[in-house]
Amino acid sequence: MKTLRVELGERSYPIHIGAGLLGRADLIAPHIRGKQVMVVSNETVAPLYLEPVLAALGGFRTESVILPDGEVYKNLEILNRIFDALLEARFNRRCTLVALGGGVVGDITGFAAACYQRGVDFIQIPTTLLAQVDSSVGGKTGVNHPLGKNMIGAFHQPNCVIADTDTLNTLDDRQLAAGIAEVIKYGLIRDAGFFDWLEQHMAELTARKPAALAEAIERSCRNKAEVVAEDEREAGSRALLNLGHTFGHAIETATGYGRWLHGEAVAVGMLLAARLSARLGWLEQAEVERIARLLEAAALPTRPPADLDSDRFLELMAVDKKVLDGGLRLVLLRGIGHAVVTDDFDPAALRAVLDEAAGGD
Ligand code: NAD
Ligand code: GLY
């Protein structure tokens, strides 16, 4: 097992990464202050992993709430089910919530913990690669609103993150690849050495070799923990974690949530950001090709949907929440391992990149 720390003063917390951690009472119990624990999971993950987690919580008064599975349920109505369960069980301010599942369960549970009785403790047990390398770390919690994704939320840090790499064995290949997109993101934005490592080890990752997965998760979490420690509330550098996301959100919205997974849309978005960076003279063409090859090796898409023309693409990008005061700001690359947030680009270059990419998928 490897343990990293997110350094946030008195709100610092450990991230444990390794095989066979779900049932480890010694990892979870020290982070529970009271006696009451509510485990939140969903109908897919609970049958697989709830039992060992409940067993590890043997010394506490434990309840569970099982949510329906899907991004479409990350909303205020389903959030209320968690509050109902907490109130029905008469849980007090010293209770702890445990999120057992992917990013959807993690985000909604974290938000419930941020709100219940003005804030209670919570623990993340992420079970998708995406959740292990990204969403469980950093304290962004929330739910979707019909008018926008992740629009209702709070910053609320967990007390501990336990990433059991064994849980990835039951994840399907598409979900695994979607998580790998976020792993590649860390290499692109701030860790060129990690990008090199990924080029050498991608086949082991897609084959789910435990050592390679553990290394990738650890290096991803190390990068995320550093970014969060530097800029917890996204006043500046944390925005770099959104590389590819403005393009990606446009793809997700255009195709209706579900046809493309978030990580798949981000993969295409990162490549479009790289192409725009190359057009601006900031990135070598050879580097763009390296990025495309790595995404392909991860079985990720590299072209946007065929039916998304550049007019619609630009329109959807303009409603992304990273548009500040009317100007479109993007995360672009000054090299592999060096991302910048900027509005200093020629809109014609962006349109040209989208025109060139149109007609894929
Ligand atoms: P998800 O939570 O929907 O999980 C994907 C699917 O895998 C679901 O059907 C889930 O039930 C299933 N699943 C989970 N673990 C499994 C396992 N071990 N075996 C088999 N099936 C399993 O999706 P996700 O990709 O984990 O997370 C996406 C969500 O995360 C989005 O809502 C996104 O907004 C959010 N997110 C949040 C942050 C953040 O910083 N808070 C960052 C990135 C993404
Ligand atoms: N996933 C983006 C962030 O945590 O800031």
Side-chain angles (χ1 to χ4, degrees):
M1 181 180 87
K2 291 277 175 54
T3 299
L4 311 174
R5 273 183 79 73
V6 182
E7 297 293 350
L8 288 168
E10 55 188 28
R11 288 175 298 109
S12 299
Y13 54 93
I15 307 169
H16 301 299
I17 302 159
L21 307 188
L22 271 189
R24 291 268 303 263
D26 59 316
L27 297 182
I28 195 163
H31 300 284
I32 298 173
R33 288 186 299 167
K35 294 204 173 347
Q36 304 164 327
V37 183
M38 178 69 70
V39 183
V40 183
S41 191
N42 75 18
E43 59 203 9
T44 304
V45 178
L48 296 168
Y49 303 115
L50 183 59
E51 210 178 290
V53 172
L54 292 179
L57 291 165
F60 299 93
R61 186 191 147 200
T62 309
E63 303 277 345
S64 58
V65 52
I66 310 304
L67 306 178
D69 184 2
E71 180 73 33
V72 68
Y73 299 110
K74 198 176 104 175
N75 61 32
L76 288 168
E77 192 191 326
I78 299 297
L79 174 72
N80 217 22
R81 287 204 201 167
I82 304 177
F83 297 140
D84 289 346
L86 289 164
L87 288 165
E88 277 160 17
R90 299 183 186 281
F91 272 24
N92 61 32
R93 290 193 63 197
R94 280 170 62 80
C95 74
T96 297
L97 271 61
V98 174
L100 174 67
V104 168
V105 167
D107 280 12
I108 197 169
T109 307
F111 189 43
C115 302
Y116 187 64
Q117 304 209 10
R118 300 191 184 83
V120 297
D121 291 343
F122 91 111
I123 289 169
Q124 289 270 19
I125 307 188
T127 61
T128 62
L129 182 59
L130 182 138
Q132 293 187 354
V133 299
D134 190 354
S135 62
S136 66
V137 176
K140 278 192 184 176
T141 73
V143 295
N144 302 325
H145 184 277
L147 296 181
K149 189 166 147 69
N150 293 331
M151 283 293 153
I152 317 289
F155 284 99
H156 189 59
Q157 299 292 342
N159 287 21
C160 170
V161 178
I162 300 172
D164 184 337
T165 51
D166 284 345
T167 61
L168 302 179
N169 291 330
T170 51
L171 206 59
D172 70 38
D173 286 343
R174 246 186 105 188
Q175 294 286 356
L176 187 83
I180 293 176
E182 302 283 2
V183 171
I184 293 172
K185 180 184 79 180
Y186 295 111
L188 286 173
I189 62 173
R190 68 194 303 278
D191 193 343
F194 186 33
F195 189 90
D196 295 346
W197 182 90
L198 287 168
E199 288 182 315
Q200 284 148 32
H201 295 85
M202 188 52 74
E204 290 157 59
L205 287 179
T206 55
R208 301 173 194 235
K209 298 279 185 223
L213 278 172
E215 173 90 14
I217 295 165
E218 186 198 337
R219 291 177 82 159
S220 298
C221 285
R222 196 179 295 286
N223 275 294
K224 177 122 192 204
E226 284 171 12
V227 172
V228 169
E230 204 174 274
D231 179 23
E232 184 186 7
R233 300 264 168 157
E234 202 170 308
S237 56
R238 186 164 178 170
L240 298 177
L241 294 172
N242 296 321
L243 174 68
H245 283 59
T246 301
F247 296 94
H249 287 157
I251 294 173
E252 287 180 274
T253 310
T255 52
Y257 291 95
R259 189 171 127 206
W260 282 61
L261 297 179
H262 175 71
E264 293 170 336
V266 165
V268 172
M270 292 192 298
L271 189 58
L272 292 173
R275 293 225 172 96
L276 177 56
S277 308
R279 226 169 230 279
L280 299 170
W282 297 355
L283 195 67
E284 300 290 333
Q285 192 52 38
E287 292 179 296
V288 177
E289 277 148 29
R290 278 177 73 192
I291 297 167
R293 273 198 303 276
L294 189 58
L295 295 172
E296 276 159 12
L300 284 160
T302 52
R303 306 197 67 177
D307 49 358
L308 182 54
D309 64 37
S310 53
D311 284 337
R312 179 82 180 122
F313 215 134
L314 286 167
E315 192 183 297
L316 290 169
M317 286 175 75
V319 297
D320 190 83
K321 64 179 184 249
K322 283 167 286 298
V323 178
L324 292 180
D325 304 325
L328 181 60
R329 286 157 62 80
L330 290 174
V331 184
L332 296 180
L333 295 172
R334 289 262 179 198
I336 287 175
H338 182 191
V340 290
V341 181
T342 181
D343 58 6
D344 180 21
F345 57 85
D346 179 1
L350 172 59
R351 181 178 281 280
V353 164
L354 297 177
D355 278 338
E356 202 178 87
D361 187 30

